[in-house]
């Protein structure tokens, strides 16, 4: 199975974003994971549409935009216009999830939905036809550098069964390193977000090692 690698620029050097993005681009990663935080849904603030638009001018990488914001409907048009290729919203942050997914699609952008570790997969059962990717948070969202929560391996396995033969990607985000990546892929994940693991030390070597360990 081919696993997709999605470096999270939250782990990059914010003073040298263009340089760090070039590094992962040279490694031919499948997408760039961009975390958006509002200081409300999560206790941290990161990246707005104007910054994403600026980065859009620097790279052709697929932009996977992870919205950790309350009421995402208000800002989805801005993120679509900024150049997002996929917009991922949190089930916990929107009341009318189906409407929100339809809104994303109305801009010709791929739609994803994310769950924090405590939220049940059942909340997604009736929107699966509208989803290109499910992002399972494997830490509590808000910060890079946290440890993978082991209960999430079962959740990945359960999601894999639930989506059966649908063409839906399973992305994992939080605490991904060589050990957790291997187990997450064995459980059924096929898109690995990695922030601190990617950008600490030699980026090309880290990505090579991640690809190697994820090959099953
Ligand atoms: C956390 C973010 C992650 C973060 C992961 O809320 O959603 O994308 O960058 O960082 P690491 O890989 O360091 O756990
Ligand atoms: Zn993320």
């Amino acid at each position: 199975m081919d696993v997709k690698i999605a470096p999270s620029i939250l782990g990059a050097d914010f003073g040298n974003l263009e340089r760090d993005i070039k590094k992962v681009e040279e490694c031919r990663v499948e997408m760039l994971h961009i975390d958006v935080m509002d200081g409300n849904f999560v206790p941290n603030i990161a990246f707005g549409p104007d910054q994403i638009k600026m980065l859009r001018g620097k790279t052709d990488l697929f932009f996977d935009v992870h919205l950790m914001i309350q009421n995402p409907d208000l800002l989805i048009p801005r993120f679509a216009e900024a150049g997002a290729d996929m917009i991922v919203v949190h089930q916990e942050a929107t009341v009318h999830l189906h409407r929100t997914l339809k809104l994303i699609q109305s801009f010709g952008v791929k739609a994803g939905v994310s769950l924090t570790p405590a939220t049940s997969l059942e909340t997604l059962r009736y929107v699966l036809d509208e989803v290109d990717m499910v992002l399972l948070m494997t830490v509590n969202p808000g910060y890079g550098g946290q440890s993978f929560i082991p209960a999430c391996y079962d959740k990945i396995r359960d999601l894999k069964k639930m989506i059966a033969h649908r063409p839906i990607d399973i992305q994992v985000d939080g605490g991904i390193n060589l050990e957790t990546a291997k187990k997450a892929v064995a459980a059924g994940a096929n898109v690995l977000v990695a922030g601190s693991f990617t950008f600490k030390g030699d980026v090309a070597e880290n990505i090579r090692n991640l690809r190697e360990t994820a090959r099953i």
Side-chain angles (χ1 to χ4, degrees):
M1 184 179 55
D2 277 343
V3 168
K4 301 174 194 169
I5 306 289
S8 171
I9 56 166
L10 197 67
D13 176 352
F14 283 8
N16 288 291
L17 276 182
E18 189 176 354
R19 181 201 65 189
D20 281 0
I21 289 172
K22 288 288 165 219
K23 282 189 192 172
V24 296
E25 201 178 56
E26 280 163 19
C27 299
R28 298 170 197 269
V29 296
E30 284 74 12
M31 58 182 91
L32 187 69
H33 184 84
I34 305 175
D35 288 306
V36 176
M37 308 191 193
D38 66 352
N40 181 18
F41 179 67
V42 289
N44 202 356
I45 292 183
F47 292 104
D50 292 335
Q51 286 163 308
I52 293 176
K53 194 180 223 162
M54 208 77 87
L55 297 177
R56 186 70 289 175
K58 310 275 185 196
T59 177
D60 290 331
L61 277 172
F62 183 96
F63 278 6
D64 158 35
V65 177
H66 177 194
L67 297 186
M68 285 165 275
I69 64 176
Q70 285 293 352
N71 299 322
D73 295 26
L74 298 176
L75 283 162
I76 283 167
R78 297 275 316 277
F79 285 104
E81 187 226 339
D85 294 295
M86 168 144 59
I87 295 179
V88 181
V89 293
H90 269 267
Q91 183 275 336
E92 304 88 354
T94 180
V95 177
H96 306 288
L97 179 57
H98 183 274
R99 176 182 289 153
T100 302
L101 294 168
K102 285 292 187 194
L103 178 64
I104 296 171
Q105 291 166 355
S106 74
F107 292 97
V109 171
K110 286 187 186 297
V113 61
S114 179
L115 300 180
T116 70
T119 303
S120 169
L121 293 173
E122 262 319 295
T123 59
L124 301 186
R125 183 174 296 280
Y126 306 105
V127 295
L128 289 177
D129 285 342
E130 310 302 336
V131 165
D132 295 293
M133 185 177 83
V134 175
L135 159 49
L136 294 182
M137 285 304 303
T138 44
V139 298
N140 290 300
Y143 306 99
Q146 304 181 79
S147 300
F148 190 105
I149 297 170
C152 297
Y153 294 120
D154 278 344
K155 195 173 182 183
I156 299 166
R157 269 186 283 274
D158 290 346
L159 175 60
K160 180 86 180 156
K161 275 184 230 147
M162 187 171 165
I163 62 175
H165 302 294
R166 293 171 197 260
I168 298 176
D169 284 326
I170 301 181
Q171 186 181 58
V172 284
D173 181 9
I176 293 297
N177 55 36
L178 296 181
E179 188 194 335
T180 55
K182 197 172 190 60
K183 290 193 200 163
V185 169
N190 71 316
V191 188
L192 301 172
V193 175
S196 18
F197 178 82
T198 299
F199 292 102
K200 223 177 265 167
D202 184 333
V203 170
E205 192 181 324
N206 294 341
I207 290 178
R208 214 177 312 122
N209 288 338
L210 201 54
R211 273 202 202 286
E212 196 51 45
T213 200
R215 198 165 288 139
I216 56 169

